[in-house]
């Protein structure tokens, strides 16, 4: 009886040590592919507040200012009016803004949009799949995608209106 119990405990201990080893290995030694400058932007399909689908590949031929944000994020809130001003100017010049909201309710996002009178598309990433595919860390993070679908710059943190204008010039067709 004691030998059987010792054997079972040993097997359980070996399994736990194996699981711990695998977890440490996969977290620290396996490279997690993040989107990098010069790489093709991963395609995605997200739905906005009006129920319209936005597929990144549909914007081929246009520059895409892909911004990840949240309503609770103060730096995100500060840059939104600047993004909207520049969107009004550049939307007829072949530059699209996609401001992807991360995992928030439609009510919270709609309230934010109304408060700031935003006019650009706001796709909703309810399950964080696009956020994870792009390897986004802190919010706000913006990916500048050229008309060929290649990421030409990545920036994290609050953007000034001048920075946004310069970035839109950089991706304009």
């Amino acid at each position: 009886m004691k030998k059987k119990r010792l054997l079972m405990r040993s097997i359980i201990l070996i399994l736990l040590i194996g699981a711990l080893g695998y977890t440490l290995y996969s977290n620290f030694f396996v490279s997690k592919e993040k989107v990098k400058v010069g790489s093709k932007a991963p395609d995605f399909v997200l739905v906005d507040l009006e129920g319209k689908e936005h597929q990144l590949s549909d914007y081929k031929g246009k520059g895409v200012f892909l911004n990840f944000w949240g309503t609770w994020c103060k730096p995100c809130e500060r840059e939104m009016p600047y993004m909207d001003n520049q969107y009004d100017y550049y939307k007829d010049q072949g530059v699209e803004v996609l401001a992807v909201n991360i995992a928030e309710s439609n009510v919270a996002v709609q309230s934010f949009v109304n408060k700031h009178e935003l006019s650009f598309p706001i796709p909703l990433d309810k399950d964080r799949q696009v956020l994870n595919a792009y390897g986004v860390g802190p919010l706000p993070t913006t990916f500048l995608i050229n008309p060929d679908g290649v990421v030409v710059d990545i920036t994290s943190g609050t953007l000034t209106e001048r920075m946004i204008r310069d970035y839109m010039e950089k991706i304009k067709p």
Side-chain angles (χ1 to χ4, degrees):
M1 188 77 160
K2 281 188 176 185
K3 277 187 173 183
K4 212 176 196 182
R5 192 178 315 163
L6 179 63
L7 180 64
M8 285 303 288
R9 286 182 177 171
S10 297
I11 290 172
I12 290 170
L13 183 61
I14 289 169
L15 288 173
L16 286 173
I17 290 171
L20 179 63
Y22 174 76
T23 301
L24 290 172
Y25 171 77
S26 66
N27 280 326
F28 295 111
F29 300 109
V30 175
S31 93
K32 292 182 176 70
E33 272 306 302
K34 272 179 80 168
V35 175
K36 298 177 184 77
V37 171
S39 66
K40 186 90 169 147
D43 199 13
F44 61 83
V45 178
L46 291 174
V47 176
D48 68 16
L49 289 167
E50 283 78 47
K52 182 181 177 212
E53 281 191 353
H54 295 271
Q55 183 162 359
L56 183 63
S57 57
D58 289 346
Y59 296 101
K60 189 164 176 54
K62 288 185 168 192
V64 178
F65 187 92
L66 180 63
N67 178 266
F68 292 87
W69 69 284
T71 61
W72 48 267
C73 164
K74 289 302 176 192
C76 302
E77 188 170 6
R78 280 194 293 277
E79 71 183 13
M80 286 291 172
Y82 305 143
M83 285 170 47
D84 201 56
N85 290 343
Q86 295 307 311
Y87 173 68
D88 284 343
Y89 184 76
Y90 283 96
K91 66 183 175 189
D92 295 328
Q93 297 181 45
V95 176
E96 189 62 58
V97 170
L98 292 177
V100 177
N101 177 268
I102 307 304
E104 293 187 86
S105 74
N106 288 28
V107 172
V109 177
Q110 188 65 62
S111 173
F112 184 94
V113 168
N114 293 346
K115 176 181 173 187
H116 296 285
E117 300 177 350
L118 302 175
S119 61
F120 47 76
I122 303 199
L124 307 171
D125 188 11
K126 295 283 188 190
D127 55 7
R128 301 173 188 249
Q129 282 190 343
V130 178
L131 176 90
N132 293 332
Y134 277 76
V136 174
L139 296 181
T141 294
T142 302
F143 292 80
L144 302 173
I145 303 167
N146 72 14
D148 296 322
V150 175
V151 176
V152 294
D153 208 342
I154 302 168
T155 183
S156 291
T158 309
L159 299 173
T160 64
E161 189 150 8
R162 180 179 186 90
M163 291 167 75
I164 293 170
R165 186 188 69 221
D166 291 346
Y167 285 147
M168 289 193 176
E169 278 293 327
K170 191 173 185 176
I171 59 175
K172 186 170 81 170

